[in-house]
Amino acid sequence: MKMLAGNWKMNTTPQEGLALLDALVNGLTPERIGEVHLVVAPPFTHLWASVQRLWDFPEISVAAQNCHEQASGAYTGEVSLPMLKDLDVDAVLLGHSERRQYFGETDRQIASKLRAALNAEISPILCVGETLEERKSGREWEVVQHQLQVALADVSADEAHNVVVAYEPVWAIGTGEVASPEQAQEMHARIRTWLRERFDADTASIMALLYGGSVKPDNAAALFGQKDINGGLIGGASLKADDFLALLDALRSA
Ligand code: PEP
């Protein structure tokens, strides 16, 4: 499955977000979408309006950028999976490096959220990736493998079909520094092999593996052309409809 997911992060007011969605859908035709599954992840404040705006576009899913692992309770400021489900939200980003770095999210917490998302029938988009320091010391696979091991410890092969893995080297997120297609492919191939061993060959080939980190219209074709890269998780370039549509074109024709 090819997938292009836009992570808007803490950007756009609700009005600006709806204008961005309008610009996006105005540029779409069934031919342009092709076989690509599109996902947008606006801030919590515009999820419901986004779901409503996209009623007529079943090929575009709406994702939350985070969630709490508990269904309800005294967790001031948090949003639960049943709340998201009730809004018809389809997916949730989990373990984004900004959540890990700035909000101290641990692998175990991410695993609990992933378990809760599967229980709520909301598809997790699990982000993994190493820091620059970890890559420089040659530990990138050790780090990514550990993140995968903990997050997916409690997941069956059937459930894994609904999990998307996004490889996002931390040093490439929002920095303009992009992994080379070879670096990205090498990590994706390792993740695919690991998934095959952890689950089975069918599951590993069905699961979408996305690359994320400074994907732009001018570097997308080379990344999306790699064998084990099924699409992208896009930050900055998802905030401009023209850029996101250009990435869609690159992925569709990859
Ligand atoms: C991201 O936030 O997941 C991301 C990949 O950001 P950017 O495309 O801006 O590097």
Side-chain angles (χ1 to χ4, degrees):
M1 188 215 322
K2 288 184 177 181
M3 179 181 282
L4 188 69
N7 172 16
W8 296 4
K9 312 193 187 192
M10 196 175 71
N11 292 300
T12 72
T13 62
Q15 278 197 26
E16 289 165 349
L18 289 183
L20 176 56
L21 277 186
D22 281 341
L24 196 61
V25 296
N26 286 340
L28 288 175
T29 57
E31 295 71 37
R32 197 165 191 189
I33 297 177
E35 301 286 292
V36 179
H37 187 132
L38 286 168
V39 181
V40 289
F44 285 126
T45 45
H46 2 332
L47 283 175
W48 176 229
S50 302
V51 167
Q52 288 176 305
R53 188 61 60 101
L54 295 172
W55 273 148
D56 295 333
F57 294 87
E59 57 279 69
I60 310 179
S61 297
V62 175
Q65 297 173 20
N66 183 29
C67 65
H68 196 274
E69 60 268 37
Q70 298 295 330
S72 63
Y75 301 100
T76 302
E78 293 293 315
V79 172
S80 77
L81 287 150
M83 295 173 191
L84 296 173
K85 187 71 186 170
D86 204 39
L87 293 186
D88 269 331
V89 165
D90 310 288
V92 62
L93 302 183
L94 293 178
H96 190 281
S97 67
E98 288 152 15
R99 300 292 321 165
R100 295 177 190 261
Q101 265 186 305
Y102 307 145
F103 301 95
E105 284 196 13
T106 63
D107 287 323
R108 285 199 181 286
Q109 218 174 341
I110 293 158
S112 306
K113 292 182 183 202
L114 192 135
R115 178 71 263 156
L118 289 171
N119 291 349
E121 296 183 346
I122 290 188
S123 302
I125 301 176
L126 170 67
C127 305
V128 295
E130 81 286 357
T131 62
L132 185 57
E133 200 188 10
E134 288 159 347
R135 178 163 280 266
K136 278 188 173 161
S137 58
R139 295 195 298 122
E140 65 270 21
W141 173 240
E142 187 192 317
V143 169
V144 168
Q145 186 183 23
H146 184 258
Q147 291 171 339
L148 290 168
Q149 256 161 0
V150 179
L152 299 175
D154 183 25
V155 171
S156 71
D158 272 358
E159 289 173 326
H161 291 197
N162 296 316
V163 178
V164 172
V165 176
Y167 168 58
E168 300 206 302
V170 179
W171 46 273
I173 297 180
T175 58
E177 189 155 340
V178 62
S180 70
E182 295 73 28
Q183 279 173 323
Q185 165 57 26
E186 188 190 351
M187 183 59 85
H188 279 239
R190 285 183 133 166
I191 295 173
R192 188 89 67 195
T193 303
W194 185 87
L195 292 170
R196 195 176 303 132
E197 285 162 9
R198 167 67 181 81
F199 299 109
D200 53 67
D202 268 4
T203 305
S205 67
I206 288 168
M207 287 176 72
L209 303 189
L210 311 184
Y211 169 77
S214 298
V215 180
K216 306 283 179 222
D218 62 355
N219 59 28
L223 288 160
F224 294 159
Q226 301 300 311
K227 177 171 165 282
D228 288 295
I229 299 183
N230 305 119
L233 177 55
I234 315 299
S238 70
L239 294 171
K240 293 183 200 138
D242 285 349
D243 282 0
F244 200 61
L245 290 166
L247 297 183
L248 167 63
D249 293 337
L251 180 56
R252 193 194 54 251
S253 40

